[in-house]
Amino acid sequence: MPTHVTGRAAPFPLSNIDTDVIMPKRFLRTITREGLADGVLADLRFDTEGNENPDFVLHRPAFRGAEILVVGDNFGCGSSREHAVWGLKQLGIKAIIGTSFAGIFYDNARKNLLVLASISPSARDAVLQAIAEQPLDVAIDLDQKQVRWDDQSVPITIDQATQRALVEEREDVSDTLSLNAQIREFEAKRPNKLVVRVPK
Amino acid sequence: MTMPRTLYDKLVDSHKVCDLPDGEMLLYVDLHVMNEYTSPQAFSGLDEKGLPVWKPESHLAVVDHVNATRGRAAPDAASQLLIDNLGKNCAQHGIALYGLGDPRQGIEHVVVPEQGLVAPGMVIVCGDSHTTTYGAFGALGFGIGTSEVEHVLATQTLRYRRMKNMRVTVSGDLAPGVVAKDIIMKVVQVVGAGGANGFAVEFAGEAIRSQSITGRMTICNMAVELGARAALIAQDDVSHAAVKGPYVNPAEDWHSDPGAPFDRNVEINGAEIAPLVSWGTSPDQSVPVDALVPEPDATLPKAQESHGRALDYMGLIAGTPMTDIAIDRAFIGSCTNSRIEDLRQAAAILKDRKVADGVTAIVVPGSTMTRLAAEAEGLDVVFRDAGFDWRPEAGCSMCLAMNDDVAMDGERVASSTNRNFEGRQGRGARTHLMSPAMVAAAAVKGRIADVRAFVEHKDL
């Protein structure tokens, strides 16, 4: 993917938004990765009859079609369900800006090239303030490791491996299988009493 | 002289296949556990790439998330598809499946220790966040997403980034009536819901050491609710005695060396922990059972907003005594609290008592073996006589309500589970987390109740 992601940013600043809220369980009874866009934040976006909640941020005229979310602390906590990330991508979300993300969600996002930009709490508040005043495009520059809007820029905290994985779109399974000799060598040295053989 | 290392670092070091660029490594996985809902897309990913499973004998699949627990018939066609699909994938790739009707079936994190598949010094991963449970044995367990499930199926490894080390020391003796669930709910409250993001957490101190293996599993299980990517307790006689299988990892002493560096230390006085109940919609929003629904902290405007939102969702008013809160349902079960010891603690409260009118109470043993063991000692009779629905099949059930055990909009549940998230047990359902004995006490009173009063005054 390109090193820059730019798009309309929408504020969704609640803390501890968990993956049960991001992708409710009724959307999980599936064997594919598809068809999950309607599940994203469904209990907040829709009423029990399936009608749009007009107050939900992505349904307000200024933010409809936003491609970037600016979120609260500890976003993506809870269940490991990768369906949450698949759904966000299918809804058209390209990047999420926040202060902290839960570990499994962070790794799931990386695998699916959903950019998670961690910035400081004060920087996040500044972005929130800017997008509250007027609809605004925000840019995430993975090369310079910055979030930018208007004439402002703030640094992103991102580890090198995740940055590279996002930019280079690495295929992890085949990359790892190229190391099969090392894996075989490691296995050959394992104590026999540690080699798990699950009874059928 | 070698540098002192933490238990976590020893586990990682001993499973490192090789270094990868940018500070990552290839981490070897001893055992991988799967369920029916986070594995399908991993298998289809393998099939699309035409790849075999690297080492089929080191994987276990169970059916636990979507199955009904009233009987074996699937709740609906979509659930049946997930169950059948897991069977097809396991047959195709030669993977052990403990499915419905198998005497070893149950919740994955109950089944693995029960079947002797965990030992100190192992690395165990699973597409389920509560895989931290295995830290109770001095094994490194952590949850992964479906893409990583595919990776571990194909390579028996993960591309891994080392976490930071946190030690949580719970010192002193616990007060009467305080159990492992209260310890971990206190830790979540102190550290915060995301307070351990990026950390592996080792639990230490007398209050931890004094716990049985079941209590330790409860503690490590819920460590993910503070964001911990792994939870660990050093190997000792308790965990040694609990290892049922043939596996031994003699490479190290599975404890942290004296003087091993921790990036963060948290100290909690175990004597000050009371039985806790959650009041809000995040596991860190809990108070002692004899306290009031808390007022928002006026000095923290952001926390005030989420506090208000949680109160609104939960239908509560700050200042209400927790023990005034009436419940509609009681649920005992989940990978946190469905083992035989949990069932005994709840049964001790229920003996010669009745569930209050208007409360629907169910108990779902964590595995078929747990159910049979409980029935052998007559616990099922105690639960049934009290008015609990004793479920004949094991599974996650109302913990996450993926099957047909769903709480209705506005219903309030006293629950021995791990998450009180909005909608977790059903859209609009209101979850109060607590220990299994506290759930039993709440079921009897029809409202949240202090288990200590039940123990002290038998005729209450």
Side-chain angles (χ1 to χ4, degrees):
Chain A
M1 68 187 283
T3 57
H4 290 64
V5 179
T6 303
R8 178 70 51 84
F12 186 58
L14 296 169
S15 297
N16 301 321
I17 289 294
D18 58 80
T19 53
D20 271 84
V21 167
I22 298 172
M23 185 60 64
K25 67 214 89 248
R26 60 186 179 277
F27 299 95
L28 302 178
R29 293 190 198 96
T30 174
I31 60 170
T32 75
R33 298 175 183 230
E34 307 308 320
L36 292 165
D38 284 349
V40 177
L41 299 166
D43 291 354
L44 306 180
R45 283 165 66 204
F46 306 105
D47 67 17
T48 47
E49 266 84 56
N51 304 306
E52 274 192 4
N53 168 9
D55 296 330
F56 185 74
V57 61
L58 294 176
H59 297 156
R60 281 150 52 191
F63 301 110
R64 194 174 278 276
E67 294 169 316
I68 295 175
L69 294 178
V70 185
V71 301
D73 302 338
N74 194 33
F75 189 83
C77 60
S79 161
S80 65
R81 58 188 72 164
E82 197 165 317
H83 311 66
V85 170
W86 298 332
L88 283 161
K89 289 276 289 188
Q90 290 164 22
L91 190 65
I93 302 298
K94 294 181 189 163
I96 303 177
I97 299 170
T99 58
S100 59
F101 298 93
I104 304 174
F105 182 80
Y106 189 86
D107 290 347
N108 287 342
R110 163 178 161 173
K111 295 279 186 185
N112 292 279
L113 307 180
L114 173 65
V115 175
L116 301 186
S118 298
I119 60 177
S120 72
S122 59
R124 188 264 319 267
D125 291 349
V127 180
L128 283 173
Q129 192 177 354
I131 63 177
E133 284 162 6
Q134 56 176 330
L136 192 64
D137 279 1
V138 170
I140 295 167
D141 180 342
L142 289 172
D143 193 32
Q144 296 294 312
K145 298 184 181 174
Q146 285 181 336
V147 172
R148 289 197 289 266
W149 69 98
D150 293 339
D151 56 351
Q152 307 281 309
S153 74
V154 295
I156 299 171
T157 305
I158 187 169
D159 64 276
Q160 198 61 37
T162 301
Q163 190 252 18
R164 194 195 293 262
L166 291 171
V167 171
E168 295 180 1
E169 300 191 27
R170 270 198 344 225
E171 220 314 312
D172 283 346
V173 171
S174 52
D175 279 3
T176 299
L177 283 174
S178 72
L179 300 167
N180 70 83
Q182 278 103 315
I183 302 172
R184 293 282 179 220
E185 190 186 345
F186 182 88
E187 286 184 322
K189 289 192 220 149
R190 296 297 278 166
N192 193 41
K193 283 198 150 179
L194 195 58
V195 179
V196 177
R197 295 180 184 87
V198 181
K200 283 205 184 167
Chain B
M1 203 178 103
T2 53
M3 294 288 286
R5 289 180 302 159
T6 63
L7 170 55
Y8 169 72
D9 283 322
K10 289 181 184 182
L11 283 158
V12 171
D13 291 343
S14 67
H15 287 76
K16 185 171 89 172
V17 174
C18 59
D19 285 309
L20 296 172
D22 303 322
E24 293 196 313
M25 70 178 81
L26 207 55
L27 186 80
Y28 192 77
V29 173
D30 295 309
L31 171 67
H32 170 233
V33 187
M34 277 173 287
N35 60 54
E36 70 279 21
Y37 103 87
T38 61
S39 67
Q41 301 84 352
F43 280 110
S44 46
L46 278 189
D47 290 348
E48 283 159 24
K49 297 182 180 79
L51 291 171
V53 174
W54 179 275
K55 195 164 175 284
E57 66 270 32
S58 295
H59 303 259
L60 167 66
V62 301
V63 172
D64 60 358
H65 278 71
V66 306
N67 60 295
T69 57
R70 299 164 211 269
R72 249 169 243 164
D76 53 41
S79 302
Q80 188 65 54
L81 176 63
L82 284 170
I83 294 167
D84 293 344
N85 182 64
L86 185 66
K88 175 185 77 71
N89 287 328
C90 289
Q92 182 188 335
H93 293 282
I95 290 171
L97 168 65
Y98 299 171
L100 302 179
D102 188 302
R104 301 163 295 186
Q105 180 270 342
I107 305 173
E108 44 204 348
H109 310 311
V110 177
V111 168
V112 165
E114 213 166 56
Q115 296 301 322
L117 294 171
V118 53
M122 275 188 184
V123 168
I124 302 177
V125 302
C126 172
D128 185 278
S129 59
H130 291 107
T131 310
T132 51
T133 306
Y134 307 116
F137 292 84
L140 177 60
F142 57 94
I144 55 177
T146 300
S147 294
E148 294 203 306
V149 170
E150 180 184 329
H151 192 279
V152 75
L153 282 167
T155 72
Q156 203 59 36
T157 65
L158 289 173
R159 302 177 85 90
Y160 189 71
R161 197 166 56 250
R162 195 184 289 266
M163 302 286 135
K164 290 181 283 185
N165 284 279
M166 181 188 298
R167 179 168 52 197
V168 175
T169 305
V170 187
S171 57
D173 294 326
L174 297 175
V178 175
V179 295
K181 183 65 164 282
D182 303 309
I183 295 178
I184 188 59
M185 284 180 65
K186 181 66 182 181
V187 174
V188 180
Q189 187 195 76
V190 169
V191 177
N197 280 343
F199 284 90
V201 173
E202 180 171 342
F203 293 99
E206 300 86 31
I208 303 291
R209 291 260 152 249
S210 66
Q211 293 297 312
S212 68
I213 196 71
T214 301
R216 294 178 188 195
M217 282 195 265
T218 299
I219 290 167
C220 289
N221 173 283
M222 271 188 75
V224 71
E225 311 314 335
L226 47 137
R229 200 62 199 278
L232 289 165
I233 296 174
Q235 181 187 13
D236 64 4
D237 290 346
V238 171
S239 48
H240 184 75
V243 172
K244 292 182 181 168
Y247 305 109
V248 180
N249 187 345
E252 299 277 355
D253 293 324
W254 298 108
H255 57 69
S256 293
D257 295 327
F262 285 88
D263 303 283
R264 192 176 162 203
N265 274 288
V266 174
E267 312 268 341
I268 292 171
N269 181 353
E272 291 175 0
I273 302 174
L276 290 171
V277 181
S278 71
W279 59 267
T281 54
S282 174
D284 57 357
Q285 291 174 319
S286 65
V287 288
V289 63
D290 53 2
L292 310 177
V293 177
E295 301 280 348
D297 185 341
T299 64
L300 297 168
K302 281 208 198 79
Q304 210 170 353
E305 189 190 337
S306 56
H307 190 110
R309 184 182 167 85
L311 285 180
D312 189 43
Y313 180 88
M314 293 298 291
L316 294 173
I317 297 165
T320 308
M322 289 301 292
T323 49
D324 281 0
I325 299 171
I327 62 161
D328 304 294
R329 291 174 181 265
F331 175 68
I332 294 174
S334 85
C335 60
T336 307
N337 279 125
S338 65
R339 299 179 179 84
I340 186 79
E341 193 178 308
D342 300 314
L343 303 182
R344 285 182 192 134
Q345 288 176 7
I349 299 297
L350 293 172
K351 191 157 176 53
D352 302 326
R353 294 196 174 103
K354 295 283 181 204
V355 171
D357 287 345
V359 174
T360 306
I362 68 173
V363 52
V364 182
S367 68
T368 304
M369 277 181 62
T370 302
R371 176 177 62 78
L372 293 172
E375 290 173 354
E377 54 187 84
L379 299 183
D380 58 323
V381 177
V382 176
F383 278 103
R384 283 205 177 100
D385 285 353
F388 265 77
D389 185 3
W390 176 261
R391 290 293 170 83
E393 297 291 325
C396 305
S397 242
M398 202 191 275
C399 174
L400 82 167
M402 256 190 99
N403 69 354
D404 51 347
D405 285 318
V406 182
M408 297 296 113
D409 195 354
E411 281 189 334
R412 198 177 291 285
V413 190
S415 190
S416 76
T417 56
N418 41 55
R419 289 180 174 144
N420 51 343
F421 298 154
E422 285 184 23
R424 172 83 174 176
Q425 296 188 297
R427 185 171 182 159
R430 295 159 170 167
T431 305
H432 292 277
L433 304 176
M434 61 191 81
S435 71
M438 291 271 283
V439 174
V444 168
K445 292 287 278 183
R447 52 191 64 240
I448 290 172
D450 192 335
V451 71
R452 292 170 296 191
F454 277 68
V455 177
E456 287 157 22
H457 308 289
K458 188 69 185 152
D459 58 350
L460 191 102

